[in-house]
């Protein structure tokens, strides 16, 4: 199996949904700013756990498990082919509409509940930042970057 094969959950309308899964937010086209969910969790479907060689790819399994779980209002999940964080795989990013974006690495294959909890915190935040308090430990230890929104006001 090559990286990214066979499951490609990029959000492309032509992408096939893996057999045995239920179509969820991850197979929908990406929303434009102002539309759709408050927070989208992007999970790298090509990530492999260290030393992993068998199918399914852990990133794909994490994306499927996260999308299959009950999601809070305003949260969607979408798989993407690569987040270019290979040295810290498994990887995910959380994008808040008109808020901050977070990139996480070193996630476990069973991190779906942590990703959902973090997305709920980010979606309910009043200032567009994910609060440190209440954040799952894997999202504290695994934070790679915090990226400001394009609408961030300039500091004086």
């Amino acid at each position: 199996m090559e990286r990214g094969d066979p499951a490609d959950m990029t959000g492309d309308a032509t992408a096939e949904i893996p057999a045995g899964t239920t179509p969820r937010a991850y197979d929908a086209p990406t929303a434009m700013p102002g539309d759709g969910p408050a927070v989208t969790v992007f999970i790298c479907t090509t990530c492999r756990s260290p030393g992993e060689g068998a199918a399914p790819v852990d990133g794909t399994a994490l994306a499927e498990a996260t999308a299959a779980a009950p999601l809070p209002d305003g949260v969607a999940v979408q798989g993407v082919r690569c987040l270019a964080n290979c040295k810290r795989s498994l990887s995910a990013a959380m994008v808040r509409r008109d808020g901050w974006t977070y990139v996480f690495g070193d996630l476990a294959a069973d991190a779906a509940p942590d990703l959902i909890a973090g997305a709920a915190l980010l979606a309910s935040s009043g200032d567009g930042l994910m609060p440190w308090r209440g954040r799952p430990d894997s999202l504290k230890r695994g934070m790679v970057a915090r990226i400001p929104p394009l609408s961030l006001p300039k500091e004086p």
Side-chain angles (χ1 to χ4, degrees):
M1 172 188 295
E2 296 296 316
R3 288 178 63 97
D5 292 337
D8 175 17
M9 300 185 312
T10 61
D12 182 40
T14 61
E16 291 184 32
I17 305 301
T21 62
T22 303
R24 294 282 306 225
Y26 68 79
D27 63 317
T30 305
M32 297 300 292
D35 294 342
V39 173
T40 301
V41 180
F42 292 96
I43 301 171
C44 180
T45 60
T46 57
C47 275
R48 297 180 186 274
S49 293
E52 181 208 340
V57 175
D58 282 349
T60 299
L62 178 57
E64 290 172 354
T66 306
L71 299 175
D73 288 339
V75 174
V77 174
Q78 182 173 336
V80 293
R81 285 193 62 108
C82 185
L83 288 174
N85 191 33
C86 303
K87 290 188 179 190
R88 296 205 46 201
S89 66
L90 305 173
S91 297
M94 291 184 196
V95 179
R96 177 172 160 156
R97 184 176 6 113
D98 300 326
W100 289 73
T101 296
Y102 291 81
V103 179
F104 300 99
D106 303 320
L107 297 170
D110 61 355
D114 290 355
L115 292 172
I116 293 167
L121 283 171
L122 184 57
S124 64
S125 166
D127 61 2
L129 293 164
M130 183 186 300
W132 188 258
R133 183 172 296 193
R135 188 184 300 184
D137 286 339
S138 67
L139 302 185
K140 289 179 180 178
R141 289 187 313 270
M143 191 163 81
V144 173
R146 184 177 81 173
I147 303 163
L150 294 174
S151 60
L152 184 70
K154 292 186 179 187
E155 294 183 9

